[in-house]
Amino acid sequence: MDASRPLHTIQFNPAGAFMHKISVRPRVTSRGCLTDVAVRQAKRRFSTLSSHPFHSAVLLLVLVSAATLSQAAETPPFAALLQQAQTRAPQLLEESANVRAARADVHQAGAWLNPTLNAAAENLGAPAAGGVSQRQDTYTVTQVFEIGGKRSARIEAEQRKSTAAGARERHARLAFATQLALAYATAEAMQQRKEVADAESARADDDLRAARALVKAGREAELRVAQARASAAAAQASVQSAAADATEALERLSALVGATEPFTHIDHPFLATVVAAPPLAGWTPERSSALASAAAEREAFTAQIRVEQKKGMPDLGISIGMRRFAWSSDKAATFGMSASIPLFDRNQAGVEAAKERATGAAMRVEAARMEALASHRSAVAQVQASDKRLQAAEQGQDAASDAYRLGRVGYDAGKTALAELLAIRRALSEATALAIEARVARVRALATLSMAEGRNVFGETP
């Protein structure tokens, strides 16, 4: 266990009535043992606080409230968070809405054209013949029929668009899964960096106390205290910066999944539990979700060519009605036919535009194919390299930890200079940061492999 980490931090501030702060942080002595002075002091203060009945009641209320807030801000494991995000992440809800809209367009494409009701009055104000009005009222209903396969072409085009929308949604869900993995890993990495900064600050405080003791004993110059004080101040500044970075990463994670309350802490490890999924055997570019989406788009543009070609064909209108004669009140049936004449607009430019769009879509398919091949080869290499990098970084972290432990022993014994100890401590922090970055790089490489192969390598199918 890392002895530099704080075990407990309890604050009591009930409505400003009183405030007690108990900070229990074990310190490392010159011999590497944990001091229990702070623990005993915390216990005495806690017993004094709990002895008063009012204080005990307020303490219970504060502890219950803190437990409730902790549960509300708890971040679920990655797999559970990904499952929850399927129904509340804004990006995924947008794609689901687009798919539903495309399906509605398919139903709308199959609808028949509405009939038209016409009413006409003729011979208004005409001279009467023999004192009888010559007015005629005609009522007709006209139904326009699309001929030449217009309706079937339109339905097919909308079906292809719906298929393309589904392919885009699958690609978006896979991209979201990889994006969530990176956001989750980044948040956990920022949290670990905050813990490293806290440990570094604790070690800097220990070095400052040791320097003061050595100066007081006459074994070091006063300059060493100034150096240790500057190092402690820099370590505290790093703590504040790391805390801000961790908060930002958690806020971005909360916004990504559409959480109602922002997360405040990663409670389930992800970086250390990700299992490297081996590349698929016999993988082909057609497995890529990006290529599948591009191919579906090409089919949709190809189907649109037929729609544009059919637009130049005339529509046939059938009219059936009734005519009423004012002079005799007699009625007669009417029948008519109409058709548009493609004289000026044959939609030739529209057909040409549709063909060019289909050509562009075909080129995007080929580009996506080559990109999928290159991405897959690169992703496989990145995964292998990230595993080796992580192994080397963890070995370097262990070596730096041992070096700092030996350096502290040597400094306390007066055999190691303070400047050398500070350099060793910085090397430990840098080695720890490199190990954290190596874990994030490994997740990033797995995310690239996931997108290249068209599957979620993190264990859950989006």
Side-chain angles (χ1 to χ4, degrees), residues 197-462:
D198 289 336
E200 175 71 7
S201 179
R203 286 191 289 264
D205 292 341
D206 292 339
D207 294 343
L208 177 59
R209 283 191 295 271
R212 286 172 176 171
L214 292 176
V215 169
K216 186 176 181 180
R219 296 168 57 186
E220 284 282 7
E222 187 67 26
L223 176 62
R224 303 309 181 192
V225 175
Q227 292 177 338
R229 188 183 299 113
S231 177
Q236 186 59 34
S238 298
V239 170
Q240 300 301 325
S241 177
D245 293 340
T247 301
E248 179 185 3
L250 288 169
E251 290 289 346
R252 291 183 180 275
L253 178 63
S254 304
L256 181 62
V257 299
T260 56
E261 295 183 1
F263 301 131
T264 58
H265 192 269
I266 298 294
D267 304 282
H268 304 276
F270 176 67
L271 289 173
T273 58
V274 176
V275 179
L280 287 175
W283 178 86
T284 59
E286 282 68 22
R287 291 178 177 266
S288 171
S289 60
L291 179 59
S293 179
E297 292 282 354
R298 178 193 59 190
E299 296 301 323
F301 280 112
T302 302
Q304 189 64 29
I305 297 177
R306 185 164 173 258
V307 174
E308 298 297 330
Q309 290 174 339
K310 300 295 183 181
K311 285 183 178 180
M313 301 182 64
D315 294 331
L316 179 63
I318 304 296
S319 300
I320 300 177
M322 181 269 294
R323 178 172 296 171
R324 180 178 177 274
F325 304 98
W327 60 85
S328 62
S329 298
D330 292 335
K331 300 177 181 178
T334 63
F335 176 80
M337 297 181 62
S338 63
S340 60
I341 302 175
L343 181 61
F344 302 108
D345 182 11
R346 298 181 181 180
N347 200 36
Q348 294 177 346
V351 174
E352 187 66 23
K355 290 181 179 180
E356 292 299 331
R357 293 190 185 97
T359 301
M363 294 300 101
R364 285 194 294 273
V365 170
E366 294 303 318
R369 187 187 306 277
M370 291 184 290
E371 179 67 22
L373 288 170
S375 297
H376 185 259
R377 290 193 294 264
S378 174
V380 172
Q382 288 180 15
V383 170
Q384 295 175 351
S386 65
D387 289 337
K388 296 179 181 179
R389 175 186 176 185
L390 178 58
Q391 183 179 4
E394 290 177 343
Q395 293 176 354
Q397 182 182 4
D398 294 338
S401 180
D402 292 338
Y404 177 75
R405 180 179 57 82
L406 297 175
R408 274 305 308 272
V409 173
Y411 180 73
D412 293 338
K415 298 180 180 180
T416 303
L418 178 61
E420 183 178 354
L421 179 63
L422 296 179
I424 296 175
R425 197 183 74 214
R426 284 194 299 271
L428 174 58
S429 298
E430 293 173 357
T432 306
L434 286 176
I436 295 173
E437 178 59 29
R439 296 187 185 98
V440 176
R442 181 170 176 268
V443 173
R444 190 179 297 111
L446 290 174
T448 304
L449 180 66
S450 181
M451 293 300 299
E453 293 190 343
R455 64 187 181 107
N456 185 9
V457 301
F458 298 104
E460 291 291 333
T461 302

